[in-house]
Amino acid sequence: MTATAENATEPVDLLSPDLIADPFAAYARMREQAPTLTGSIMGGRPMWLVTRYEDVRQVLTDPRFHNNPASVPDAPDTRTTIMRQLNLPTDLVDYLEDKLMQIDGADHRRLRGLVSKAFTARRVARLRPRVEEITTSLLDAMADAGRDGAPVDLLTAFCYPLPFTVICELVGIDEADRAPWFEWGHCLSSPTEHRERLPRVMRECVDHMLEAIARRRAEPRDDLISALVEAQEDDGDRLSEREMVTLVFTLVITGHETTTHLLANSVLALLENPDQLALVRADPSRWPQAVNELMRLGPTQWGLPRHPSQDVELGGVTIPAGATVMPLILPANTDPRRYDDPERLDIGRETGQSHLGFGQGAHYCLGAPLALQEAEVALHALFERFPGMSLAVPREEIVWTLRPGVTRVEKLPLRLA
């Protein structure tokens, strides 16, 4: 006999201060008391929260769960919700709703096929020397800034500019055009906090993308925008102008954020676990395995909401068709049913791609191989260059915050020697 929607557990606010302050403890309580429970984000639309590994993996891979609520009868009208909550005009909502991560079926396969050419194993391997070059340049600048013991904020000096530069070069955003993206990315990553600015920011971002596409149409290069332009010119039915803008927008805005916070969180975790840092320093061939283990423990906390096309049982609860289901990645990745001593960082753990930090199934993150390569190169070089690196403030002064779905520190001030 399964439970129904009248779940007795108190609804959970995914942005509550208690959860942000200690997500591991909060999620562990949720996972053990009620593996499927109700919740919301800051009092918004109620949803079902799924916490255990096997259940979360099912939500990510089961074809009955859809990313696009328009594909499911009785699912919430997200278009109206977005327009009301964020004060966006209809044409700008189109760009948010057509993102690669939020479509299903044939449209998703078509667009993913076009973008995946930029993230093949061969293309990612070819990028490695450039990732190493950018890393070295940033470390040189950090060394200058940190002379005489001056603290350096790793987030702004290293963790943000490395993946941002790489994704901009891959996509085709010219260096002279990158400055506004910091504001746009900050605003779009926390849209409810920037309601007043959001319409202007979205309009500027879309106009910028249209200009970039027009330039590549006139002067193609070896980048993703040029490849998308070529695909559109070869067969206009394969790719609309709006889809092209949305693809570029999505990749640049989201294509660096996970890596940025993976780097910062990883540095903090390794400084707090010197035994694990010593292991990987002694044997640098272990960095790829270490990075996967670090990704298991964050920064991804949630996936995108899904909507079942029929009633589905999860964690002893019957989820009705059309409901909103939020797969909670971090509690799944620290589920003791899947991993021994799951909250402990263990670079010897054979994590591989079993963790859900990059998702699973049809929507598995296209940029995962690039993110893993960037983190491997960056962390290896950083700890090799600054072996005496340490926190410049007491640990309790490191402030955690939760952008929707991502655990991150506000700043990470370090002394390099």
Side-chain angles (χ1 to χ4, degrees):
M1 182 74 67
T2 61
T4 61
E6 286 76 28
N7 193 311
T9 307
E10 283 292 315
V12 173
D13 181 355
L14 287 177
L15 289 179
S16 68
D18 288 346
L19 195 151
I20 293 172
D22 191 353
F24 289 101
Y27 283 136
R29 287 193 299 271
M30 292 162 57
R31 187 179 56 232
E32 300 312 314
Q33 293 173 6
T36 302
L37 65 164
T38 57
S40 66
I41 299 174
M42 298 179 67
R45 183 185 296 276
M47 62 182 73
W48 288 97
L49 311 179
V50 185
T51 62
R52 292 185 180 173
Y53 180 91
E54 290 301 333
D55 295 333
V56 171
R57 192 177 188 284
Q58 180 179 347
V59 173
L60 297 177
T61 59
D62 189 327
R64 293 175 295 178
F65 285 91
H66 298 261
N67 284 36
N68 184 359
S71 306
V72 180
D74 301 322
D77 179 2
T78 56
R79 170 176 290 271
T80 301
T81 301
I82 291 171
M83 291 176 67
R84 183 176 64 251
Q85 291 183 341
L86 303 181
N87 194 31
L88 287 177
T90 303
D91 67 314
L92 292 181
V93 174
D94 290 340
Y95 290 102
L96 290 178
E97 288 202 324
D98 285 348
K99 292 196 296 185
L100 182 61
M101 298 176 292
Q102 293 174 312
I103 56 177
D104 301 299
D107 280 340
H108 177 257
R109 290 190 293 273
R110 171 176 57 87
L111 295 179
R112 188 179 176 96
L114 291 170
V115 178
S116 64
K117 297 173 184 176
F119 295 96
T120 63
R122 178 177 296 181
R123 182 71 183 268
V124 169
R126 281 171 45 201
L127 283 172
R128 189 180 185 103
R130 179 58 181 148
V131 173
E132 293 170 343
E133 182 181 348
I134 297 167
T135 297
T136 298
S137 176
L138 292 171
L139 294 178
D140 288 345
M142 283 176 58
D144 289 339
R147 289 187 190 282
D148 302 320
V152 175
D153 176 23
L154 191 73
L155 204 71
T156 56
F158 188 68
C159 300
Y160 173 79
L162 172 59
F164 178 72
T165 302
V166 172
I167 197 65
C168 282
E169 291 186 1
L170 181 66
V171 169
I173 305 298
D174 293 334
E175 186 172 358
D177 296 332
R178 294 173 193 168
W181 282 97
F182 180 81
E183 180 194 2
W184 298 339
H186 181 69
C187 183
L188 292 164
S189 296
S190 303
T192 56
E193 297 176 19
H194 303 283
R195 287 185 183 89
E196 299 303 317
R197 296 164 52 207
L198 194 63
R200 172 186 63 81
V201 164
M202 275 292 296
R203 184 70 64 193
E204 289 177 356
C205 191
V206 169
D207 289 345
H208 175 91
M209 285 292 89
L210 290 170
E211 292 172 7
I213 290 167
R215 286 199 298 271
R216 289 298 182 270
R217 187 167 279 124
E219 298 180 8
R221 297 182 186 173
D222 181 20
D223 56 38
L224 181 61
I225 296 178
S226 299
L228 294 175
V229 167
E230 182 180 359
Q232 187 189 48
E233 290 175 347
D234 288 346
D235 183 355
D237 292 337
R238 294 180 65 201
L239 188 65
S240 70
E241 195 87 351
R242 188 181 71 197
E243 288 173 331
M244 195 185 313
V245 170
T246 303
L247 284 173
V248 174
F249 155 74
T250 302
L251 287 170
V252 177
I253 291 295
T254 66
H256 69 276
E257 184 171 27
T258 297
T259 311
T260 292
H261 302 303
L262 170 60
L263 291 174
N265 295 359
S266 295
V267 169
L268 186 58
L270 288 166
L271 290 176
E272 291 182 324
N273 292 272
D275 59 325
Q276 299 301 301
L277 178 57
L279 290 173
V280 80
R281 274 178 160 160
D283 181 4
S285 70
R286 303 179 77 169
W287 272 115
Q289 185 169 324
V291 168
N292 256 311
E293 170 70 350
L294 289 158
M295 186 66 196
R296 181 182 69 84
L297 295 172
T300 306
Q301 286 209 12
W302 331 322
L304 289 172
R306 264 69 167 182
H307 309 274
S309 56
Q310 62 190 71
D311 293 358
V312 178
E313 181 185 338
L314 287 171
V317 173
T318 299
I319 307 294
T324 300
V325 180
M326 179 70 84
L328 299 186
I329 304 300
L330 186 59
N333 277 342
T334 51
D335 187 345
R337 296 159 190 80
R338 181 64 182 82
Y339 299 105
D340 294 331
D341 197 5
E343 294 180 14
R344 181 172 67 89
L345 176 65
D346 176 7
I347 68 162
R349 194 190 303 270
E350 294 292 340
T351 305
Q353 294 185 356
S354 67
H355 70 78
L356 307 178
F358 291 113
Q360 288 283 321
H363 285 271
Y364 183 79
C365 178
L366 267 174
L370 179 59
L372 292 170
Q373 176 177 275
E374 288 175 341
E376 176 197 339
V377 168
L379 293 172
H380 183 187
L382 178 69
F383 281 103
E384 187 175 74
R385 179 73 174 269
F386 305 117
M389 186 170 58
S390 62
L391 289 177
V393 297
R395 175 63 179 83
E396 59 269 21
E397 292 184 17
I398 302 296
V399 177
W400 291 94
T401 186
L402 181 65
R403 280 189 178 178
V406 179
T407 305
R408 60 188 292 270
V409 293
E410 290 285 355
K411 295 181 179 179
L412 190 58
L414 300 176
R415 296 196 191 281
L416 304 181

